[in-house]
Amino acid sequence: RTGLLLDLARRRKDAGDADGAARALARAVCEGGDPTAVLGELEVALPARTSDGELSLLEARAEVLSALSGVDSRGVALAWREYGAACWDLADDPDAAMRAWQRAAALDPERGIERLGCDLLAFGGLEVALVRLREVARQRDEPAEQARVLAVAANLALRADHRDEAFDIAREALELSPLQGEVLAVAER
């Protein structure tokens, strides 16, 4: 089936249907197509003509890079962040953006949560960022991980000069994990 989807993508491209080709490529990779073959088609893909085509190309690229071995995880994370941004902006789909950004965060254990917070702040504003980060914290199993996510939320609130809210979030994080240095710094300000 995936071979048929790749053939369909090529035929649509030859016919000048850039968006149809992009959709076929996204379907091919999501259905388990050979990531190397899909990447080859992505590299010669026509520019998208609509936002749907752009979304399909970005999704296909992120999925392909995730499926390939030996790819720099920062590059894969960036592809998921770009797809998430397009989901928010082009498709008006914050939930799809959130799923993409969470995949990006998982690929970057050192700075992924901070980048997730920055993306949420940039696209949704402070209140949306704080709500979504609290949701992410609740989804974590380990109290230290929950506290780390809440520390990012507290820092965002503090930078926006919402000191009371920053303190409340920091206090919540410290109740979960009293030794979180970044949370202590927020609470002390």
Side-chain angles (χ1 to χ4, degrees):
R1 175 159 166 88
T2 57
L4 290 173
L5 288 169
L6 283 173
D7 186 50
L8 176 62
R10 288 182 201 105
R11 288 174 188 264
R12 287 188 181 267
K13 179 182 143 205
D14 291 344
D17 181 6
D19 293 347
R23 284 191 303 275
L25 289 173
R27 284 182 54 202
V29 71
C30 288
E31 292 187 19
D34 175 21
T36 303
V38 176
L39 182 60
E41 292 299 322
L42 284 170
E43 289 174 352
V44 296
L46 297 173
R49 293 197 176 142
T50 67
S51 58
D52 287 344
E54 187 66 29
L55 284 165
S56 293
L57 287 174
L58 289 168
E59 178 186 22
R61 180 167 302 284
E63 289 288 0
V64 161
L65 292 176
S66 293
L68 289 171
S69 60
V71 176
D72 176 38
S73 63
R74 288 176 296 186
V76 180
L78 179 60
W80 282 112
R81 288 182 70 207
E82 289 172 350
Y83 176 60
C87 287
W88 194 294
D89 265 357
L90 301 177
D92 194 26
D93 191 347
D95 293 331
M98 192 67 189
R99 287 189 298 274
W101 289 333
Q102 284 186 288
R103 284 186 75 172
L107 291 164
D108 183 2
E110 188 175 309
R111 303 261 313 133
I113 294 300
E114 289 81 2
R115 289 187 172 113
L116 171 63
C118 289
D119 289 337
L120 286 166
L121 182 64
F123 287 88
L126 180 64
E127 293 308 313
V128 168
L130 296 180
V131 166
R132 292 286 187 147
L133 286 170
R134 281 186 155 139
E135 289 171 1
V136 170
R138 283 191 296 273
Q139 295 168 358
R140 301 293 166 123
D141 293 329
E142 298 294 322
E145 282 298 309
Q146 293 172 342
R148 183 167 178 243
V149 175
L150 291 173
V152 170
N155 274 310
L156 290 178
L158 186 63
R159 282 188 286 189
D161 205 31
H162 289 230
R163 293 184 182 280
D164 290 342
E165 192 164 17
F167 180 79
D168 290 343
I169 296 169
R171 186 183 70 232
E172 186 180 342
L174 287 171
E175 288 171 0
L176 290 164
S177 182
L179 301 177
Q180 291 285 331
E182 64 267 22
V183 178
L184 288 170
V186 172
E188 291 173 349
R189 291 186 198 169

